[in-house]
Amino acid sequence: MTETEQIEPWAVVIEGDDQPLVLEHINEYAVTVYAPTELVIVTLGEQGPPGPQGIPGPSGGSALQKVAAVPLSGHRMVFSTEGLAVDYADCGNLANRANTLGMTLGAADAGAQVNVQRSGEVIHSGWSWTDGPVFLGHEGSLTQSLPPTALFSLIVGFAMNPTTLFLDQGVAITLEAL
């Protein structure tokens, strides 16, 4: 590089032994590069393969990634199996009283990573909640009225509007048969 010259207030050209190639974005900045002997410009590319799913990060909540023990649907409650994988939580399984982990944010095949949200807002257009608490039902489902076969009651959150649930898992209460 032998000399630097200011041509326009928004462009800088650095002159050297070879002719520079100036790539510019008018009125913002200019980039000077040296062009090789043969220059190929690609203007249209193809979509590459998808990368791995990123680390979860819902706004105002907490989430983590686990491995699906079985094929899982989205927006269902899961429990942790030995702290490693997750399966559907169920209000008819007393073992799920203390280990219901959170809600899947998407579907996953067995052995795949699944994002599990533990708290905060979840929005799903397929819901039609009424105001009030939302409970864990059977096979990870959510309900606003406990099934008669429930062995424990677990409030997993509160409906904020028909399509928004605020996850805020409570303490499970064991139900006694009458």
Side-chain angles (χ1 to χ4, degrees):
M1 290 184 271
T2 58
E3 183 180 332
T4 302
E5 180 182 344
Q6 185 77 29
I7 298 172
E8 295 289 337
W10 49 267
V12 174
V13 176
I14 301 172
E15 294 179 6
D17 296 337
D18 296 331
Q19 281 291 333
L21 173 64
V22 178
L23 305 175
E24 60 183 278
H25 191 281
I26 298 174
N27 295 330
E28 289 188 20
Y29 58 88
V31 178
T32 303
V33 297
Y34 291 99
T37 311
E38 185 177 311
L39 182 65
V40 177
I41 299 175
V42 178
T43 58
L44 181 63
E46 293 182 27
Q47 175 68 42
Q53 187 170 11
I55 296 170
S59 61
S62 67
L64 50 113
Q65 279 189 330
K66 288 289 185 181
V67 174
V70 297
L72 297 172
S73 297
H75 301 101
R76 303 275 290 271
M77 298 301 291
V78 291
F79 74 96
S80 178
T81 58
E82 299 175 9
L84 303 172
V86 291
D87 196 349
Y88 291 127
D90 195 299
C91 65
N93 182 348
L94 287 176
N96 294 159
R97 285 178 302 186
N99 67 359
T100 298
L101 190 60
M103 177 186 291
T104 59
L105 295 179
D109 291 328
Q113 293 285 322
V114 63
N115 288 339
V116 178
Q117 185 162 336
R118 296 189 39 81
S119 65
E121 280 187 22
V122 180
I123 300 171
H124 178 48
S125 62
W127 287 333
S128 57
W129 302 120
T130 57
D131 288 346
V134 176
F135 300 90
L136 170 65
H138 290 298
E139 305 247 339
S141 65
L142 301 171
T143 181
Q144 288 197 286
S145 57
L146 278 176
T149 54
L151 298 179
F152 67 93
S153 169
L154 177 62
I155 294 176
V156 298
F158 298 88
M160 297 176 68
N161 61 49
T163 60
T164 305
L165 174 67
F166 188 87
L167 284 176
D168 184 20
Q169 194 168 300
V171 176
I173 299 172
T174 304
L175 304 173
E176 292 186 21
L178 296 176

